[in-house]
């Protein structure tokens, strides 16, 4: 269990989303503080201590990506979970390259979010979990054919099937078949989960 002093800082310009996340976390007996913008969070929080941040990636003013960069500049080491909307895979990729601990695509399962938060709050356990997960992902990647890896690289880069087909000189239908095969081999339930696995495996370096 997270320490009694653990706090989750929820940053979202949408009030309904903030309240929904806060209610979910409070129901799980996790202390929450909410902020209407990333700028307010940076102004009000003097010491993140034992905590983690949940931020929407798309916000007016300072976006979730901007917040990650600012925390990096300030050398504030706090796990950040980024919430993305449908179709925001390229933004999620960018967020993880900057240093996000995780990203979840809306609509997400409550238990998936709580598991991600608990892993972020429990740094030691989180590291152990990530090492185990990395080993499992590496084993799945090793089972992919060269062409499946090519398609995966295209998906991680945020390219559509047609663009991947053009780049590889194959038909979009063939790309769909490779994509279905690699989703099955990687045991990924969604594109965002697949991209997350590829990032954990180091398929993209940090900027």
């Amino acid at each position: 269990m997270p320490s009694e002093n653990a706090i989750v800082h929820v940053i979202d310009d949408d009030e309904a989303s903030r309240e929904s996340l806060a209610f979910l976390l409070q129901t799980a007996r996790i202390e929450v503080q909410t902020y209407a913008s990333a700028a307010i969070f940076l102004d009000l929080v003097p010491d993140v201590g034992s905590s983690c941040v949940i931020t929407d990636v798309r916000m007016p003013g300072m976006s979730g990506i901007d917040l990650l960069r600012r925390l990096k500049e300030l050398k504030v080491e706090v796990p950040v979970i980024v919430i993305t909307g449908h179709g925001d895979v390229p933004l999620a990729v960018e967020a993880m390259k900057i240093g996000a601990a995780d990203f979840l695509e809306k609509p997400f399962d409550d238990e998936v979010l709580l598991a991600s938060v608990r892993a972020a709050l429990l740094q030691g356990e989180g590291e152990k979990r990530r090492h185990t997960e990395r080993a499992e992902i590496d084993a799945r990647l090793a089972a992919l054919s060269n062409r499946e890896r090519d398609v995966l690289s295209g998906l991680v880069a945020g390219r559509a099937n047609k663009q991947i087909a053009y780049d590889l000189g194959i038909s979009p239908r063939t790309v769909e078949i490779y994509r279905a095969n690699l989703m099955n081999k990687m045991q990924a339930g969604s594109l965002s989960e697949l991209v997350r696995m590829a990032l954990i495996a180091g398929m993209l370096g940090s900027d």
Side-chain angles (χ1 to χ4, degrees):
M1 291 290 291
S3 73
E4 293 182 3
N5 297 324
I7 299 173
V8 176
H9 302 282
V10 174
I11 308 167
D12 198 319
D13 61 299
D14 183 85
E15 184 177 1
S17 294
R18 286 199 311 273
E19 290 179 354
S20 176
L21 281 168
F23 178 76
L24 171 63
L25 292 162
Q26 287 164 350
T27 301
R29 298 183 179 181
I30 298 173
E31 188 175 345
V32 187
Q33 290 185 14
T34 62
Y35 309 83
S37 73
I40 292 173
F41 167 72
L42 289 172
D43 286 343
L44 294 182
V45 64
D47 179 16
V48 291
S50 176
S51 67
C52 79
V53 172
I54 300 176
T55 180
D56 194 70
V57 74
R58 289 186 183 273
M59 295 184 290
M62 184 180 289
S63 69
I65 299 292
D66 295 331
L67 173 62
L68 279 164
R69 288 200 178 101
R70 186 64 182 139
L71 289 172
K72 198 171 184 179
E73 288 171 5
L74 296 171
K75 293 183 170 37
V76 176
E77 295 185 4
V78 58
V80 178
I81 299 167
V82 175
I83 304 296
T84 70
H86 180 67
D88 280 341
V89 167
L91 282 176
V93 169
E94 186 177 358
M96 290 195 76
K97 286 175 71 177
I98 296 169
D102 202 353
F103 82 87
L104 301 174
E105 186 179 48
K106 293 184 283 191
F108 48 79
D109 183 87
D110 289 352
E111 287 305 316
V112 171
L113 174 75
L114 290 173
S116 183
V117 167
R118 290 186 179 112
L121 292 173
L122 293 167
Q123 289 288 357
E125 287 300 312
E127 283 299 317
K128 182 178 179 182
R129 180 181 66 86
R130 280 188 284 276
H131 283 306
T132 302
E133 187 177 25
R134 173 68 187 267
E136 291 173 353
I137 291 169
D138 284 345
R140 293 172 196 170
L141 281 171
L144 298 182
S145 69
N146 289 336
R147 188 59 92 189
E148 287 165 350
R149 288 182 71 94
D150 289 340
V151 171
L152 177 56
S153 294
L155 293 171
V156 171
R159 299 190 186 103
N161 285 2
K162 286 184 179 179
Q163 181 62 47
I164 295 171
Y166 178 81
D167 292 342
L168 298 179
I170 56 179
S171 72
R173 175 59 184 154
T174 303
V175 170
E176 289 176 12
I177 294 170
Y178 282 126
R179 177 170 168 168
N181 287 343
L182 72 90
M183 290 279 284
N184 183 54
K185 287 183 178 180
M186 293 298 294
Q187 300 175 36
S190 66
L191 177 59
S192 60
E193 186 179 352
L194 180 68
V195 170
R196 180 176 170 275
M197 287 181 186
L199 289 165
I200 288 171
M203 287 188 69
L204 283 181
S206 299
D207 286 339

